[in-house]
Amino acid sequence: MSSELITQRNKYDKAGECIKSGLGAEQLFDKIAESKNLEVKNARRRENIHKHIDKYITEENDKRVQTWSVDIKARKKTSRSDSSAQDEWIWIEFQNVRGNKGWLYGEADNIAFETENSFVIVDRKSLINYVKNAVDMSKVVRKSYQAKYKTYQRAGRNDLLTMIELSKIIENCNHFVWQK
């Protein structure tokens, strides 16, 4: 992520935690990809913001070149008041704080969820299919602890989120894992 993006801090992220953890996750992701002899290219700023793409990964297998895009998600807390990040629940973004399409409906081929020991890299389209069937979209809750498999909107914001168990994502979506 460029220094330009660092200065465009989320006004709701008072301590800058989201940016710091996101940059750390992206740098670690890059190192793992490079250790696998994969080429890593940063997405353009506009692609990052509007298409929800952080990186392009290029790999050569049996004289075939394949490039895929990825949106990298750092480990998250289930609630801002939690003392540390966790790996059991994953926040899924349908709509961002501006009311625009969230990263789930971006253009990345894959979403890389950071865990303590790995990155779980999930096919975004299979994640959409799973989330459609797993989440109760009929009711919006107002407390983060109620967001598990329900839609959640923070007061005064235009976002729309849910929480899904990572184990269920692994069980129901096309994915692969990179160990740290």
Side-chain angles (χ1 to χ4, degrees):
M1 193 178 276
S2 72
S3 59
E4 287 177 47
L5 286 179
I6 293 171
T7 60
Q8 289 189 338
R9 213 156 119 185
N10 178 339
K11 67 181 179 181
Y12 302 110
D13 181 18
K14 302 297 182 204
E17 282 183 40
C18 293
I19 289 173
K20 289 176 196 167
S21 66
L23 285 174
E26 287 185 27
Q27 291 168 350
L28 187 54
F29 184 91
D30 288 357
K31 285 182 183 176
I32 295 169
E34 289 165 356
S35 77
K36 296 176 176 297
N37 295 316
L38 302 173
E39 181 185 329
V40 179
K41 181 181 168 195
N42 289 327
R44 293 187 178 119
R45 182 174 184 264
R46 185 167 180 76
E47 291 171 311
N48 188 302
I49 293 168
H50 299 289
K51 295 182 177 184
H52 302 281
I53 296 172
D54 290 321
K55 309 280 179 180
Y56 290 96
I57 308 300
T58 302
E59 54 188 318
E60 288 188 46
N61 296 339
D62 302 324
K63 298 183 182 181
R64 184 180 70 144
V65 177
Q66 179 181 3
T67 299
W68 48 273
S69 57
V70 63
D71 191 6
I72 302 161
K73 301 297 169 195
R75 295 177 73 214
K76 301 272 192 274
K77 302 174 182 180
T78 55
S79 172
R80 288 196 187 270
S81 62
D82 291 348
S83 60
S84 61
Q86 50 74 51
D87 294 338
E88 186 178 352
W89 292 94
I90 300 295
W91 281 103
I92 305 288
E93 181 186 71
F94 298 110
Q95 232 172 254
N96 67 21
V97 292
R98 293 178 301 283
N100 298 326
K101 68 180 180 181
W103 59 256
L104 182 64
Y105 300 114
E107 295 182 30
D109 297 314
N110 297 291
I111 309 296
F113 297 108
E114 181 188 25
T115 69
E116 183 177 7
N117 300 311
S118 67
F119 281 94
V120 178
I121 303 165
V122 178
D123 174 77
R124 186 183 57 81
K125 289 180 180 174
S126 71
L127 181 60
I128 289 171
N129 289 333
Y130 173 65
V131 168
K132 272 190 217 176
N133 295 313
V135 176
D136 179 359
M137 302 292 288
S138 66
K139 184 179 176 196
V140 178
V141 298
R142 297 290 179 188
K143 305 283 184 193
S144 62
Y145 68 86
Q146 299 171 324
K148 297 171 180 175
Y149 298 98
K150 294 183 178 119
T151 54
Y152 165 62
Q153 189 169 43
R154 295 178 285 181
R157 311 222 186 134
N158 294 317
D159 55 6
L160 192 61
L161 311 163
T162 191
M163 274 195 286
I164 302 283
E165 289 169 285
L166 179 58
S167 63
K168 297 295 184 187
I169 291 172
I170 290 169
E171 189 178 305
N172 292 286
C173 298
N174 298 331
H175 72 283
F176 57 96
V177 177
W178 285 355
Q179 295 299 322
K180 287 184 177 175

